[in-house]
Amino acid sequence: MRAIWKGAIAFGLVNVPVKVYGATEDHDISLHQVHNADGGRIRYQRRCEVCSNIVDYEDIDKAYEEDGRTVVLSREELKSVPAENSREIEVVQFVPAEQLDPIMFEKSYYLEPDAKSPKAYVLLRRALEDTDRVAIVQFALREKTRLGALRVRGEVMMLQSLLWADEVREASFPALETSLRISAQEREMSAALVESMASDFEPGQFTDDYQTQLRQLIEAKLDKGESLVTEETFGAAAADDGAGEVIDLMEALKRSLERKRGAAAGAGTAAPADKPPAKSATRPAARPSSGSAAKATPKAAARTTAGASTKTSSKAAAKTSAKAAGKATRKGA
């Protein structure tokens, strides 16, 4: 990894020199644009709309426009802004980690101690671990003053840039303001579905299917060229399973549970057995009267007699068939 910034954490009167590294990277396959008629590469040019000349990057300044007026800012003027020249990550407060809304997290960076003796670095790391808090910091990076959270990940301190409060939009949706009734059964079914899918999060279990399939398509294209048939590469498109069908919410929950239990059974996992319907305590089963018992007895006896006669007839028929077969065998001999 290559350091993108050098500075120091200001922790009271303690100064902690650090190097900053990007903690994440993009794994997406890089694609560029071409003309679909001849495959020619599409290039973008920085062309001035006044003189129509192509302008080199080093000859470009930045500008701000408001009410028809334009203010041009040179690179030297932008660098003169005091905050831009700061090389300090200033700790302003320590807060409980749960008070940070994940929506505010922007980008993550690793901090490496940039000193022969990393004692100050380890001391600050231990302080964060012992107090179970996150340091809120302010710093400047790439022509922008930023808010950040300093926390510990393993043996390394990590800096996560945060959005400013006015950069997070408020969510206001009229559909959520309507009064809705959720039944107890619907809540129980949805909770059961959640429990059937509950597990510990292990990021390594998940893959970027689109990038994997895109790589598969590229390799097949390199191998077969324009004769490529995508169905041979990916297989026929799956038939619609009715996922877009509008169905009753309870029915959807039931189907989801049945599908999950079926998948668990197919994988050799014991699916939770459905509970038998509870017997009602308010309506005991009525006992048959003596009259109804007397009526039921002849019918039961008739069924028993019929069953016995059927078995007897089957045995007689089997014996007759056996005798006939024996005679035929003797005659043949």
Side-chain angles (χ1 to χ4, degrees):
M1 291 190 292
R2 185 174 62 87
I4 62 172
W5 190 83
K6 287 185 179 182
I9 303 171
F11 172 37
L13 297 178
V14 179
N15 190 270
V16 186
V18 293
K19 293 180 181 179
V20 179
Y21 299 83
T24 60
E25 61 184 1
D26 189 355
H27 69 191
D28 289 356
I29 296 172
S30 180
L31 302 175
H32 59 257
Q33 295 180 331
V34 296
H35 185 195
N36 60 7
D38 53 23
R41 181 77 178 265
I42 302 297
R43 303 285 184 178
Y44 289 93
Q45 298 176 331
R46 303 180 183 90
R47 188 178 297 276
C48 175
E49 62 181 26
V50 175
C51 65
S52 299
N53 292 331
I54 297 175
V55 182
D56 293 333
Y57 181 76
E58 57 268 19
D59 294 328
I60 296 176
D61 286 332
K62 295 185 178 180
Y64 174 78
E65 184 174 348
E66 182 178 331
D67 298 331
R69 300 178 61 190
T70 301
V71 176
V72 178
L73 300 169
S74 67
R75 294 185 182 183
E76 290 73 20
E77 289 171 334
L78 289 172
K79 289 181 179 179
S80 69
V81 177
E84 166 63 17
N85 296 321
S86 174
R87 290 287 167 178
E88 188 174 85
I89 302 173
E90 181 188 4
V91 177
V92 293
Q93 61 181 176
F94 294 91
V95 302
E98 59 269 17
Q99 290 185 359
L100 289 176
D101 189 336
I103 196 175
M104 297 185 68
F105 292 133
E106 192 175 24
K107 190 169 177 59
S108 301
Y109 304 92
Y110 288 133
L111 300 183
E112 178 192 17
D114 188 22
K116 292 181 179 179
S117 176
K119 185 175 181 179
Y121 180 97
V122 175
L123 175 64
L124 178 54
R125 190 194 71 199
R126 292 275 178 84
L128 293 173
E129 290 174 333
D130 294 342
T131 58
D132 195 23
R133 287 182 176 256
V134 172
I136 300 301
V137 300
Q138 288 185 307
F139 63 105
L141 179 64
R142 293 173 177 169
E143 299 180 356
K144 184 177 179 181
T145 304
R146 301 170 189 266
L147 189 67
L150 193 65
R151 65 181 184 86
V152 178
R153 187 175 190 267
E155 298 295 317
V156 179
M157 280 198 294
M158 182 172 230
L159 175 63
Q160 289 183 287
S161 59
L162 303 176
L163 297 172
W164 297 98
D166 60 357
E167 292 180 314
V168 179
R169 294 176 176 175
E170 290 293 331
S172 177
F173 304 111
L176 297 179
E177 298 173 2
T178 58
S179 179
L180 297 172
R181 180 182 176 276
I182 304 296
S183 68
Q185 189 178 9
E186 288 170 335
R187 295 185 65 176
E188 289 174 5
M189 291 286 288
S190 60
L193 179 58
V194 170
E195 285 301 320
S196 70
M197 300 173 68
S199 180
D200 293 326
F201 178 57
E202 297 180 16
Q205 292 182 341
F206 303 94
T207 57
D208 188 341
D209 292 341
Y210 178 79
Q211 293 300 319
T212 301
Q213 293 166 4
L214 180 59
R215 171 61 64 186
Q216 183 182 355
L217 177 61
I218 290 172
E219 291 176 354
K221 189 80 173 180
L222 289 171
D223 183 40
K224 297 187 177 182
E226 295 302 323
S227 62
L228 173 71
V229 178
T230 55
E231 285 190 3
E232 293 178 358
T233 304
F234 300 115
D240 186 8
D241 61 354
E245 180 184 357
V246 178
I247 57 178
D248 178 74
L249 181 58
M250 278 299 298
E251 182 64 22
L253 289 170
K254 288 178 181 178
R255 287 189 191 179
S256 300
L257 274 172
E258 290 170 0
R259 180 180 297 181
K260 188 65 181 176
R261 287 170 178 168
T269 305
D274 293 331
K275 294 182 179 179
K279 293 182 179 179
S280 173
T282 57
R283 297 182 61 187
R287 294 181 179 178
S289 61
S290 57
S292 60
K295 292 179 182 178
T297 302
K299 291 182 179 179
R303 286 196 296 269
T304 304
T305 304
S309 61
T310 302
K311 291 180 181 178
T312 303
S313 301
S314 300
K315 288 181 180 179
K319 288 180 179 179
T320 303
S321 300
K323 287 180 180 179
K327 289 180 180 179
T329 302
R330 286 193 295 271
K331 287 180 180 181

